[in-house]
Amino acid sequence: MKMQRILSLDGGGIRGLVTSLWLGGVEDSLAHAGKPGGLLKHFDLLAGSSTGALVACGLGIGLSSAQLADLYRDERHTIFPGLASRLWSRAGRLFTQGPSAPRYDGAGLEKVLKKVFGKTTLGQLKVPTLVTAYDTVTRTPVVFKSFKAQHKALPIWEVCRASAAAPTYFPAHPMTVEGYRCALIDGGVVANNPTACAIAEAMRKDARVDNSHDLTVLSVGTGERNRPIDLKSAREWGALEWAIPIIDVLFDGNTDSVDYIARHLVGDGYFRMQTDLVVGMDDLDDTSSTNVFALEKLATDYLQAAGTRKRLKELVARL
């Protein structure tokens, strides 16, 4: 199975909207270059973590980037309910989960995933796809593969639910994988940027790619956080203060380290779509109309930049 052309999608919560809009820009560039047919025709392997898993699997069942962008717009309040709904949910979970229960109960996320994917299984995806998660029972990464016999019958909605279970935001998702009962949390714990996992898969002996420089890799981010944690806070914070920020720090750190590794491994065939976020629009779960508008403007401005247009032209020439 040849896996020379890779599309890798980062995690980032509601900022999956940015990913979807950027993928729309890639589709437009392909069509403009006389290469129509959507993204699936031009990639041999898809990889996704967390919200990137939803986008990757959405593409894999035939949804367009525009449809995925609409999904984030239309379903954002279901996935991330507002304060009143959260407080009511937390009150109901107080006696079973305690006062430090996850911010969301996951019911809205599951409802949306079941609506999008229904009973479709991982093996039914139209392009080979891998999705990352982490099992807290065995303390090991789990890499779901649509082309692995033991994973083909797994429901897509459950795989995406597991990959999107960001600690402190959503509860872990229980699943039986390869005969083992797992408690799965966000793939971002393993690889918020799953590009290195995808490259490793492409370099397997049976993937027929002998040299990493033979690869073409499009790695799509969701915006780069740059909100500083000042020296005083970093020195004085304890477990309570770090509880939420540490998740973002860990996700950002492994995203950037994978970018560094992939850039050196693949060379000129590596393309990364990423830009800095404005402080205040970098939360995983800010579904306000103001933030959604800001994310859309950020995505559009990035696509219109001369440097982005140049790189997209170079990418399309290789696909």
Side-chain angles (χ1 to χ4, degrees):
M1 181 168 55
K2 190 176 182 180
M3 295 182 175
Q4 189 168 343
R5 303 169 300 174
I6 295 171
L7 174 60
S8 175
L9 308 172
D10 287 12
I14 187 59
R15 301 198 310 273
L17 173 62
V18 174
T19 302
S20 301
L21 294 171
W22 283 348
L23 290 176
V26 177
E27 287 181 339
D28 291 344
S29 296
L30 285 165
H32 184 72
K35 297 182 178 183
L39 291 169
L40 292 192
K41 183 178 177 181
H42 301 284
F43 290 97
D44 308 310
L45 175 64
L46 308 182
S49 287
S50 196
T51 202
L54 190 162
V55 176
C57 291
L59 293 172
I61 64 170
L63 298 180
S64 68
S65 56
Q67 288 174 307
L68 288 164
D70 284 340
L71 173 67
Y72 281 96
R73 295 186 188 101
D74 298 341
E75 303 288 358
R76 66 188 193 273
H77 295 306
T78 304
I79 297 172
F80 299 110
L83 180 60
S85 296
R86 292 206 310 272
L87 291 175
W88 181 256
S89 172
R90 289 286 290 271
R93 291 178 285 147
L94 181 63
F95 294 105
T96 57
Q97 299 180 357
S100 60
R103 185 177 298 183
Y104 305 99
D105 60 18
L109 174 60
E110 292 184 11
K111 179 181 178 181
V112 171
L113 291 174
K114 289 177 182 178
K115 177 180 176 181
V116 173
F117 297 112
K119 296 182 179 180
T120 309
T121 63
L122 207 58
Q124 293 175 288
L125 292 172
K126 298 178 180 180
V127 172
T129 303
L130 66 82
V131 169
T132 63
Y134 183 83
D135 179 21
T136 63
V137 177
T138 60
R139 301 291 287 267
T140 56
V142 175
V143 180
F144 295 102
K145 302 176 186 179
S146 67
F147 43 92
K148 187 173 183 177
Q150 298 95 319
H151 297 172
K152 286 185 176 182
L154 295 174
I156 295 175
W157 81 262
E158 284 207 73
V159 171
C160 289
R161 170 65 177 84
S163 187
T168 74
Y169 289 91
F170 294 109
H173 184 64
M175 279 184 74
T176 300
V177 182
E178 299 185 35
Y180 294 95
R181 193 62 173 166
C182 304
L184 298 171
I185 61 173
D186 200 300
V189 173
V190 178
N192 199 52
N193 174 351
T195 303
C197 297
I199 292 172
E201 195 63 41
M203 297 298 294
R204 288 168 60 97
K205 290 182 179 180
D206 57 353
R208 294 186 293 181
V209 178
D210 298 323
N211 191 316
S212 60
H213 284 263
D214 294 333
L215 297 172
T216 298
V217 178
L218 173 58
S219 175
V220 185
T222 60
E224 181 82 16
R225 294 184 188 88
N226 53 21
R227 187 185 305 202
I229 298 175
D230 60 47
L231 178 61
K232 185 176 186 297
S233 298
R235 284 174 59 85
E236 296 178 0
W237 280 357
L240 183 63
E241 292 86 356
W242 273 111
I244 299 297
I246 195 62
I247 302 301
D248 295 339
V249 171
L250 291 173
F251 285 5
D252 291 348
N254 76 46
T255 293
D256 292 340
S257 65
V258 168
D259 178 50
Y260 175 85
I261 293 167
R263 196 173 299 278
H264 285 77
L265 278 177
V266 181
D268 292 340
Y270 177 73
F271 300 83
R272 175 74 169 160
M273 299 185 77
Q274 184 70 300
T275 191
D276 285 341
L277 293 165
V278 175
V279 174
M281 56 186 285
D282 54 359
D283 290 330
L284 295 173
D285 59 346
D286 185 350
T287 59
S288 66
S289 296
T290 301
N291 192 56
V292 168
F293 176 80
L295 292 174
E296 290 181 341
K297 186 175 187 309
L298 174 106
T300 301
D301 289 348
Y302 178 81
L303 288 173
Q304 292 176 348
T308 303
R309 294 200 303 270
K310 179 176 181 293
R311 288 293 283 163
L312 284 178
K313 186 176 180 180
E314 294 170 356
L315 168 67
V316 166
R318 295 180 62 107
L319 293 177

